[in-house]
Amino acid sequence: MSLSVDVIDKLAALITAAFGLIAALAWNTAIQEIFTTLFGEQSTIPAMLGYAVFVTILAVFFTVWIGFVSGKAKKAADAASEKVKKAAAEKLHLKKEE
């Protein structure tokens, strides 16, 4: 792999991470505003802990869900790939018989 490909790969990863951070900060602000609307302006330790617990539960839930969806998609892709390989092998076998 050339140096320019490595640089482009790293830049793509950094840009993706930056957009992920921006999205996380936007969601953090949105969730804080929802909490403020529902529970009023509270900056007490119990309110902060409640927010932290809520966000942690959301993060765990979505992480597990994304892992499940990702695993399902990977299985489907593997099955499709296996079908293509099998069809190619059969086609090659038929050509050899001719």
Side-chain angles (χ1 to χ4, degrees):
M1 215 184 289
S2 70
L3 182 61
S4 62
V5 173
D6 286 339
V7 170
I8 291 170
D9 188 40
K10 296 299 179 197
L11 279 173
L14 286 172
I15 291 169
T16 302
F19 279 120
L21 177 61
I22 291 167
L25 291 172
W27 277 107
N28 183 49
T29 303
I31 293 170
Q32 283 179 344
E33 287 300 317
I34 291 169
F35 258 71
T36 300
T37 302
L38 293 175
F39 303 112
E41 194 67 41
Q42 297 178 351
S43 60
T44 63
I45 290 177
M48 294 168 133
L49 286 173
Y51 172 73
V53 167
F54 176 74
V55 170
T56 302
I57 290 169
L58 274 179
V60 169
F61 173 77
F62 281 110
T63 302
V64 169
W65 178 70
I66 289 168
F68 173 75
V69 170
S70 175
K72 203 171 178 182
K74 187 176 184 312
K75 282 182 184 177
D78 287 347
S81 176
E82 205 52 45
K83 264 186 169 178
V84 169
K85 286 179 186 177
K86 196 174 198 179
E90 287 176 4
K91 190 174 183 180
L92 184 62
H93 181 69
L94 289 174
K95 280 188 177 181
K96 283 184 179 179
E97 287 181 351
E98 291 176 354

